[in-house]
Amino acid sequence: DEIVQGSLEVSETLRLNPTISSGSATTLAFMRSGANKWRFIQPSDDSYLKLYNDQASATQMYFKADGNIGIGTDSPTRQLTLAGAGSAILIDSSDHAYIELDRGGADDLAQLKFMTAGSAKWYAGMADSGSTGFDGTEFFIGEGSGASSDAHLVIDASGNVGINKVPTNLLHLDIGAGTAEFGKGITIETGDGSYAANKGGMLEFHNEDVIIAGIRAERPTLGGHRGELQFFTHSSDSGNTYGSTFLERMRIDSNGRVGIGEVSPDQLLHLKTANGSEMVLQRTAGTTDGLLGAVHFGNADVDEYLASIRSVQDGSTSSAYLAFETEATGGAKAERMRIDSSGNVGIGTASPS
């Protein structure tokens, strides 16, 4: 053994080239007061070089002959392996800080792998073009290496986002079989713990400078499980104020009743405006004898068309008549009254004069 006390200056190379027997090791020790503090140790078979911390009685760094380096482990399985309780990497920079993953090509991997007790669970990175449906430019988070399976989040090169799917639109969700049950869509939740009435979430549709429309779900009563849908549009060329220029236009209440201009509909369809409500039934192009529109009355379990009021063009594209039809028990529906385009009323005749 050679011991150097004080300083040792080496202008070029310090060589340790002892003749050692099998099972022995070459050691460069750093000592204080005669006690080892740190040691570089190399075995006779040259399989590794390790930095040993005598103060902690632990290997601090381990350099394997295959090029792998371990910190806190004697068995590195990658080029750099960190092991031990609380293993972490800190990048502390007064300027920019980076972690860069540079792969060889689109069919190669560039990803982070998250494991528990040696078992892989999550992967995040750039997809492998060898995975079905991927071209290798996508970013993914999933349960398969290179997005080979269960890619739960995918962002393609155009910025489109897919949930469980390679996207073909700005936001693309794949919910599987799509059966009618909870947990098969998007959830918007309000959660201040108050369970108060008149609270709920909203989907808002924006232009660059204004909210142009929205759909809001609301809990109408305190503590109840009922829900309503409200549909809003922006009503003015200026301003952008909820309740002033951004107004509710239609509501579907918890009983399935629809109110247009009415927030508490009394019937299945309830229309209300300040100047009286109107409905329009039209056809896209006029004919001389075509149906313009109809209202039908019936029951769903026996006959859906027991009575009708129809408007039909009356011999020209600019005239129409009204026909009133009913169905007798055991019979077929038939016209009972007609008001023709001249205002003539026929009961039991289709040609009143």
Side-chain angles (χ1 to χ4, degrees), residues 179-214:
T179 53
E181 57 184 303
F182 293 135
K184 293 290 186 178
I186 299 173
T187 299
I188 300 175
E189 181 175 337
T190 56
D192 63 0
S194 66
Y195 303 100
N198 307 121
K199 290 190 175 183
M202 176 178 279
L203 287 175
E204 295 180 358
F205 303 91
H206 291 234
N207 202 317
E208 289 191 7
D209 59 345
V210 69
I211 304 171
I212 57 175

Side-chain angles (χ1 to χ4, degrees), residues 163-185:
I163 307 296
N164 299 324
K165 186 76 174 180
V166 179
T168 57
N169 211 330
L170 195 60
L171 179 61
H172 190 155
L173 281 72
D174 185 348
I175 60 173
T179 53
E181 57 184 303
F182 293 135
K184 293 290 186 178

Side-chain angles (χ1 to χ4, degrees), residues 16-301:
L16 301 180
N17 189 25
T19 301
I20 59 176
S21 60
S22 177
S24 300
T26 301
T27 301
L28 175 61
F30 299 86
M31 309 173 68
R32 189 179 302 280
S33 301
N36 290 333
K37 299 298 182 181
W38 295 89
R39 284 181 290 160
F40 279 107
I41 302 172
Q42 181 181 6
S44 60
D45 62 3
D46 302 325
S47 59
Y48 66 81
L49 173 67
K50 70 178 179 181
L51 175 61
Y52 189 81
N53 183 349
D54 287 278
Q55 301 160 96
S57 300
T59 298
Q60 215 67 46
M61 293 190 71
Y62 194 92
F63 304 85
K64 286 185 67 176
D66 62 8
N68 291 341
I69 299 173
I71 298 178
T73 178
D74 290 349
S75 304
T77 57
R78 299 290 188 184
Q79 281 183 298
L80 179 61
T81 302
L82 280 69
S87 295
I89 297 175
L90 171 64
I91 300 175
D92 187 358
S93 172
S94 61
D95 200 341
H96 304 297
Y98 302 91
I99 294 179
E100 296 183 0
L101 303 178
D102 187 2
R103 62 182 179 172
D107 58 348
D108 295 315
L109 299 175
Q111 64 185 16
L112 299 175
K113 182 178 179 180
F114 300 88
M115 309 172 70
T116 299
S119 178
K121 174 58 179 175
W122 292 100
Y123 298 82
M126 294 192 70
D128 178 358
S129 62
S131 299
T132 303
F134 293 87
D135 61 20
T137 63
E138 302 90 353
F139 175 84
F140 79 98
I141 298 175
E143 297 182 61
S145 177
S148 58
S149 64
D150 296 326
H152 298 298
L153 173 69
V154 180
I155 305 174
D156 69 14
S158 299
N160 297 328
V161 177
I163 307 296
N164 299 324
K165 186 76 174 180
V166 179
T168 57
N169 211 330
L170 195 60
L171 179 61
H172 190 155
L173 281 72
D174 185 348
I175 60 173
T179 53
E181 57 184 303
F182 293 135
K184 293 290 186 178
I186 299 173
T187 299
I188 300 175
E189 181 175 337
T190 56
D192 63 0
S194 66
Y195 303 100
N198 307 121
K199 290 190 175 183
M202 176 178 279
L203 287 175
E204 295 180 358
F205 303 91
H206 291 234
N207 202 317
E208 289 191 7
D209 59 345
V210 69
I211 304 171
I212 57 175
I215 302 172
R216 182 174 183 264
E218 180 182 275
R219 186 179 203 164
T221 58
L222 177 63
H225 292 178
R226 294 175 178 268
E228 298 182 343
L229 281 178
Q230 304 163 357
F231 297 80
F232 295 78
T233 61
H234 193 247
S235 62
S236 174
D237 291 333
S238 62
N240 190 21
T241 306
Y242 187 91
S244 177
T245 61
F246 189 76
L247 299 171
E248 180 180 338
R249 305 301 186 181
M250 183 175 78
R251 178 176 298 207
I252 303 175
D253 73 8
S254 58
N255 294 309
R257 294 176 297 212
V258 178
I260 300 177
E262 172 57 56
V263 298
S264 300
D266 295 325
Q267 300 297 330
L268 198 59
L269 178 61
H270 187 154
L271 284 68
K272 183 173 75 175
T273 68
N275 297 316
S277 300
E278 298 183 12
M279 293 181 63
V280 177
L281 303 178
Q282 290 181 326
R283 64 181 297 133
T284 56
T287 68
T288 58
D289 58 358
L291 177 69
L292 294 173
V295 178
H296 302 284
F297 307 88
N299 48 53
D301 59 338

